[in-house]
Amino acid sequence: MRGRGGFSLMELLVVLFILSLFAALAAPSFSRTLLSGRMRACAAEVRATLSKARSHAIAEGRTRFVVFNLEEGTFGLDSDAVLRGFPEPIQLGSLIVAGEEVRGTTARVRFFPDGTAEEAEISVASGDGGMLLLRMDPLTGIVEVAQ
């Protein structure tokens, strides 16, 4: 005589237990991946703002600035009415302009009409210790992301 098809309750419970163990082990990895993605997006936004300032300086034929408010963790063009901020737990790490680390409330990075800029290094940090470094070449005004 053939047995009935299907699974017993005990077999289903064992499979569900094993699946929940895998999910519990994988969850921290997904959260780190999401945080890393947010940090990269914030670094890309800072880079885009710096590139926009360079383009405006060349197009308008005058010096333009990117302003960083270190207390509030915001940044934007000197002509922006509202500065952009970082989502938690992403934050502005350090800011080095012309070889000196900026300490204080606000900092400005200058872009000149010929496409050059002040040498600058800007770090974007996450809550788990990750960091991306943006380096600006003073001769070209081009920003590169280094890890």
Side-chain angles (χ1 to χ4, degrees), residues 4-78:
R4 292 188 299 168
F7 300 103
S8 70
L9 179 60
M10 185 56 79
E11 291 170 328
L12 287 173
L13 288 174
V14 168
V15 168
L16 287 175
F17 177 74
I18 291 171
L19 288 175
S20 66
L21 274 176
F22 285 140
L25 292 173
S29 174
F30 288 128
S31 67
R32 271 185 252 123
T33 302
L34 289 174
L35 186 59
S36 175
R38 282 189 190 136
M39 186 174 60
R40 288 182 190 282
C42 289
E45 196 171 333
V46 172
R47 182 177 184 224
T49 302
L50 292 166
S51 296
K52 185 177 178 182
R54 179 180 180 268
S55 296
H56 281 265
I58 293 169
E60 297 169 5
R62 66 183 183 98
T63 302
R64 295 299 304 261
F65 298 91
V66 174
V67 179
F68 292 90
N69 185 321
L70 303 175
E71 278 185 352
E72 297 175 9
T74 57
F75 64 96
L77 291 176
D78 55 351

Side-chain angles (χ1 to χ4, degrees), residues 99-112:
E100 293 186 25
E101 186 168 0
V102 176
R103 300 194 189 279
T105 307
T106 59
R108 299 184 327 168
V109 178
R110 251 187 309 206
F111 290 86
F112 303 104

